[in-house]
Amino acid sequence: MKLLRVGPVGAEKPAVLDAQGQLRDLSVLLPELTPALLAPAALQALSGLDLERLPLVTGSPRLGCPIAGIGKIICVGLNYRDHAKESGMEPPAEPVLFLKATSSLSGPNDPIIIPRGSLKTDWEVELGVVIGSTTRYVSRDQAMAHVAGYCLINDVSERAFQLERGGQWDKGKGCDSFSPVGPWLVTRDEVADPGQLALWLDVNGQRKQDGHTSNLIFDVPTLVSYISQFMSLQPGDIISTGTPAGVGLGQKPEPWYLKAGDRVRLGIAGLGEQEQLCVSADSVEAL
């Protein structure tokens, strides 16, 4: 299944994409797509629905973040060897973890808001892993049973805030609009192998990232198991698994960053696409 939420910010309603690529209204059955609905039994019940009996969603509504009530976003840094190299860092011996604020969540096609004082806002296409059941100290062999599905994420980053302002990476990772998620959550049964997915990102029509999840240093089962040794993973939590080479920080002959007016498109095979217009924080606050 491909689950999503449609409608204005704060008034999204649940929907599902049918086999013909049409949006079907789930709100006639469910008030919201919450983390509780990601449990295996709940997803199995949803998979039994006759989607053609659900009403069509008309028009071209805004797409929101596919799941409401996400508890935390756990990100993995430097998880592709080529990205570590372009960042001037050694591939890590263990996963590098950091958290993004949930206030950074936005819909897949909502604008990227360039923060006040930003000179180095960057892009990062990433595979997101959505947890379906509470996970503590899980083994690698059992880890995938706790995964509800997958999604596309743009791990937008402000490099000066992240690397030049002292402290942890969080300052450059948690700004408003820095976690576009979607267009939908694709349930685990529809993705045969999360380690065999092509992912890409364009800026203003130019291909910047062209990678493959087979090049992850730490694969999805390893990440789920590893993270669960340090914190419990709860239904609805998202693990953002890292980005391949081609970010603005690594552009040659010199780094190149986003500015107001730029357009970003990105996608992962089978998980859909996103498109964002970059706007300044001042222009948003003036509305």
Side-chain angles (χ1 to χ4, degrees), residues 112-165:
I112 292 173
I113 302 171
I114 308 293
R116 286 186 177 181
S118 169
L119 297 174
K120 298 182 179 180
T121 295
D122 205 346
W123 57 84
E124 296 189 25
V125 58
E126 304 203 4
L127 169 66
V129 178
V130 183
I131 299 299
S133 56
T134 300
T135 310
R136 299 184 183 92
Y137 302 111
V138 71
S139 69
R140 185 184 184 281
D141 290 344
Q142 297 298 316
M144 296 305 289
H146 296 264
V147 172
Y150 305 95
C151 59
L152 170 62
I153 299 178
N154 189 354
D155 175 21
V156 185
S157 309
E158 212 299 340
R159 300 301 186 189
F161 296 179
Q162 176 189 358
L163 302 172
E164 302 169 21
R165 299 289 295 272

Side-chain angles (χ1 to χ4, degrees), residues 24-48:
R24 298 282 179 170
D25 188 353
L26 267 178
S27 67
V28 296
L29 300 175
L30 303 169
E32 186 56 285
L33 284 174
T34 64
L37 292 172
L38 301 178
L43 287 180
Q44 185 175 9
L46 285 176
S47 69

Side-chain angles (χ1 to χ4, degrees), residues 9-224:
V9 176
E12 296 93 343
K13 63 182 181 179
V16 61
L17 194 72
D18 68 18
Q20 289 72 45
Q22 302 177 107
L23 295 181
R24 298 282 179 170
D25 188 353
L26 267 178
S27 67
V28 296
L29 300 175
L30 303 169
E32 186 56 285
L33 284 174
T34 64
L37 292 172
L38 301 178
L43 287 180
Q44 185 175 9
L46 285 176
S47 69
L49 293 175
D50 181 356
L51 299 186
E52 292 189 359
R53 299 185 65 179
L54 296 174
L56 287 168
V57 176
T58 58
S60 300
R62 169 189 170 270
L63 303 183
C65 181
I67 297 296
I70 292 168
K72 55 185 178 288
I73 311 162
I74 310 103
C75 298
V76 185
L78 306 174
N79 200 25
Y80 288 76
R81 295 184 188 279
D82 55 1
H83 176 53
K85 182 178 180 179
E86 73 176 353
S87 301
M89 301 179 187
E90 291 295 320
E94 294 187 41
V96 174
L97 305 181
F98 61 93
L99 300 177
K100 296 192 80 160
T102 54
S103 54
S104 69
L105 288 164
S106 60
N109 303 317
D110 291 345
I112 292 173
I113 302 171
I114 308 293
R116 286 186 177 181
S118 169
L119 297 174
K120 298 182 179 180
T121 295
D122 205 346
W123 57 84
E124 296 189 25
V125 58
E126 304 203 4
L127 169 66
V129 178
V130 183
I131 299 299
S133 56
T134 300
T135 310
R136 299 184 183 92
Y137 302 111
V138 71
S139 69
R140 185 184 184 281
D141 290 344
Q142 297 298 316
M144 296 305 289
H146 296 264
V147 172
Y150 305 95
C151 59
L152 170 62
I153 299 178
N154 189 354
D155 175 21
V156 185
S157 309
E158 212 299 340
R159 300 301 186 189
F161 296 179
Q162 176 189 358
L163 302 172
E164 302 169 21
R165 299 289 295 272
Q168 304 296 316
W169 288 5
D170 304 60
K171 295 176 188 175
K173 294 286 189 172
C175 303
D176 291 354
S177 80
F178 271 26
S179 298
V181 178
W184 36 70
L185 181 153
V186 181
T187 51
R188 181 164 54 95
D189 60 294
E190 291 199 9
V191 179
D193 184 351
Q196 294 297 324
L197 301 175
L199 64 169
W200 56 270
L201 183 144
D202 296 345
V203 180
N204 298 332
Q206 298 182 17
R207 184 60 45 95
K208 297 296 184 181
Q209 292 184 277
D210 194 359
H212 201 276
T213 57
S214 61
N215 295 320
L216 285 165
I217 297 173
F218 305 104
D219 64 11
V220 171
T222 298
L223 291 175
V224 174

Side-chain angles (χ1 to χ4, degrees), residues 266-281:
L266 58 151
I268 298 180
L271 302 186
E273 299 183 8
Q274 301 181 357
E275 182 171 354
Q276 296 112 22
L277 173 67
C278 297
V279 301
S280 71

